[in-house]
Amino acid sequence: MADKRILETILSDQAEELQAKAALRLCRRREEDLVDLASQQAQVVTGVRRSGKSTLCYNVLQRAGVKYAYVNFDDERLARLTGEDLNDVLEVLYKLNGNFSHLFLDEMQNIPEWYLFVNRLLRRGMRVVLTGSNAKLLSGELATHLTGRHHTIALYPFSFAEYCAYRQIDTKERTTRAVAQRRAAFDDYMCKGGFPEVQTVASAGREYIDTLVGDILKRDIEQRFKITYKAAFEQMAQHLMNVSPAIVVDKALKEQFGFKSEHTSRNYVSYLQQAYLMIGLDKYSAKSKLRLVGEKLYPVDVALMSKRAGAFAGDNLGWRLKTIVFIELLRRLGPQGSDIYYYNDRSCECDFLVCQGNETQMAVQVSYDISNPKTRKREVSALLRVAEKTGCKSLLLVTDHQTEDICVDDFTVHIRPAHDWLLET
């Protein structure tokens, strides 16, 4: 049983830390509108560490003006808590806060059998908001124990629009100076990425990203999943971030890093995805079994591609732009229930194909520079070929700075600069 006096000190400290956010200039996130505080379902905000999940929930709760209590289970002082201790935590919260209608639980998956506690609170009419940074622990337990009683919101690091909002960069004016400022901001965003604290701390950069990646690999993965080959696992993780976006080949990873089996390679890659460090993209096919092979991995933010010791992907602007576009598609279309694939057959390749059920809605090709006529023709032809094969009518080519509409037969390819497309609502 937990010592309630110690719990009271810890929870008082945490409440003070949370309220310190009131003095900060906080960026409003698009996903805040997806949180429904009146719902009887638990509102679950998931995403990579340091993507701003806690701040998002704080913003929503503060703006709504509801009475709430807060616990952060990522506090090392609470590391030994078990599910049996959670009622003691609740008792202390009532002592500190009086009556409250909403309960904010940060990194809840760190406590064994947390879902039993949450389920009991929901049955009693408590409105619950919780965050988590492990996909499998959350999704598996939510699906099993909170079926129909949870609503999940995925949060990624800052989008370019949020980056501009935080930097107070004008996104509406079309003057030469305003456009130039947005283009300069986008160049900076492509380099720094969108982790919120990288924007708020002047000295944040490589050391910050190195520490973040190290925490995720060691705390969220190695400790939790009892990784045997720690050094080889970390080398593999660094390698995948260096070469991403890249198609995962279990056999190649097994041989390169000396794992005992392809099964080990597959598990290690899945752990990176469960911690939201890497995001998987399946190959498009009408056949389900073909969608299970050839998965392509992307980092959750471009900062992971270069802001690390030993990273070599810094100058590959094409890879970086593809990553930014992919994560933006997930932001925009994930809440709508759309699926995203890449297309690859003998005749052409396309970076992203957006589908709703078995209907293809949009094909997106990404090329940083299409000033070379051969490059321009190749990218446009790939979109037209995919349109012919899938019946897709909406065709988009995202570049660094070109704007143009190309009409061919019944199709129109819209060419747009990334800094404009990313700011579209």
Side-chain angles (χ1 to χ4, degrees), residues 16 40 101 114 133 192 223 309 336 360 370 373 392 400:
E16 187 176 288
Q40 295 180 355
S101 58
W114 59 269
S133 55
K192 288 184 178 179
Q223 292 181 12
Q336 300 177 18
T360 56
I370 60 169
C392 181
D400 176 52

Side-chain angles (χ1 to χ4, degrees), residues 6 53 63 89 136 213 222 226 229 320 406 420:
I6 296 176
K53 300 186 297 296
R63 191 170 64 249
V89 172
K136 186 173 182 180
V213 170
E222 291 176 5
K226 307 290 191 295
Y229 308 103
R320 302 176 79 83
I406 301 174
D420 276 351

Side-chain angles (χ1 to χ4, degrees), residues 168-421:
Q168 298 181 317
I169 294 168
D170 188 293
T171 60
K172 302 296 184 182
E173 290 292 331
R174 302 304 301 178
T175 63
T176 301
R177 180 169 63 179
V179 172
Q181 288 175 339
R182 287 196 290 273
R183 289 197 61 189
F186 181 67
D187 289 344
D188 190 54
Y189 178 73
M190 281 191 72
C191 176
K192 288 184 178 179
F195 281 103
E197 288 182 358
V198 171
Q199 324 305 326
T200 59
V201 181
S203 60
R206 172 168 158 168
E207 183 179 356
Y208 176 90
I209 297 299
D210 267 341
T211 301
L212 172 61
V213 170
D215 284 347
I216 293 173
L217 295 181
K218 296 179 187 301
R219 294 174 57 191
D220 292 347
I221 300 177
E222 291 176 5
Q223 292 181 12
R224 183 163 285 149
F225 294 105
K226 307 290 191 295
I227 297 293
T228 303
Y229 308 103
K230 292 184 175 64
F233 166 70
E234 291 179 17
Q235 289 173 358
M236 184 202 76
Q238 299 288 350
H239 167 73
L240 289 174
M241 285 184 279
N242 284 340
V243 302
S244 59
I247 294 175
V248 177
V249 180
D250 296 328
K251 183 178 180 181
L253 292 176
K254 166 187 171 292
E255 294 173 352
Q256 184 172 356
F257 297 101
F259 302 140
K260 287 188 175 181
S261 68
E262 295 176 27
H263 180 70
T264 299
S265 301
R266 193 174 306 114
N267 281 342
Y268 284 2
V269 169
S270 76
Y271 298 156
L272 295 174
Q273 294 176 274
Q274 289 173 40
Y276 301 101
L277 202 61
M278 308 292 289
I279 309 293
L281 179 67
D282 291 331
K283 181 179 178 179
Y284 173 84
S285 176
K287 298 180 179 179
S288 179
K289 65 178 182 180
L290 296 182
R291 295 197 297 270
L292 299 177
V293 296
E295 183 181 40
K296 187 178 290 188
L297 283 185
Y298 282 80
V300 73
D301 187 82
V302 291
L304 301 179
M305 302 174 77
S306 59
K307 297 294 183 180
R308 298 174 293 106
F312 287 92
D315 294 332
N316 196 319
L317 299 177
W319 289 2
R320 302 176 79 83
L321 186 57
K322 289 179 194 291
T323 299
I324 288 171
V325 170
F326 176 45
I327 301 302
E328 182 66 17
L329 288 171
L330 291 174
R331 283 193 194 95
R332 295 183 183 185
L333 302 175
Q336 300 177 18
S338 297
D339 297 310
I340 304 172
Y341 303 94
Y342 73 93
Y343 188 94
N344 188 352
D345 67 10
R346 294 180 180 179
S347 63
C348 66
E349 297 180 11
C350 182
D351 292 313
F352 308 108
L353 195 62
V354 180
C355 299
Q356 185 83 39
N358 61 0
E359 178 186 351
T360 56
Q361 296 180 317
M362 179 169 62
V364 182
Q365 193 76 329
V366 182
S367 182
Y368 185 79
D369 183 4
I370 60 169
S371 57
N372 186 309
K374 290 184 178 180
T375 303
R376 181 177 181 275
K377 181 179 179 180
R378 183 187 67 236
E379 303 296 350
V380 171
S381 296
L383 283 170
L384 293 172
R385 184 65 173 157
V386 168
E388 291 174 358
K389 290 196 167 190
T390 66
C392 181
K393 295 294 185 181
S394 179
L395 308 177
L396 173 68
L397 173 53
V398 180
T399 72
D400 176 52
H401 58 273
Q402 288 91 341
T403 302
E404 186 180 355
D405 289 331
I406 301 174
C407 297
V408 179
D409 297 329
D410 294 332
F411 300 105
T412 301
V413 176
H414 302 283
I415 303 176
R416 296 291 182 268
H419 65 272
D420 276 351
W421 178 74

Side-chain angles (χ1 to χ4, degrees), residues 60-123:
V60 172
L61 290 162
Q62 288 291 111
R63 191 170 64 249
V66 297
K67 185 69 179 294
Y68 69 94
Y70 170 70
V71 189
N72 178 11
F73 291 103
D74 206 32
D75 191 317
E76 77 282 356
R77 295 172 295 179
L78 300 180
R80 295 186 180 181
L81 285 186
T82 67
E84 296 177 353
D85 298 317
L86 291 176
N87 207 62
D88 291 336
V89 172
L90 186 63
E91 180 182 324
V92 173
L93 288 173
Y94 275 120
K95 179 181 179 183
L96 294 174
N97 298 278
N99 288 327
F100 49 86
S101 58
H102 292 69
L103 182 56
F104 175 12
L105 306 170
D106 218 351
E107 298 295 348
M108 189 72 217
Q109 82 280 339
N110 288 335
I111 306 300
E113 300 185 338
W114 59 269
Y115 43 84
L116 299 175
F117 175 67
V118 171
N119 219 343
R120 177 161 58 89
L121 292 176
L122 293 174
R123 290 197 303 270

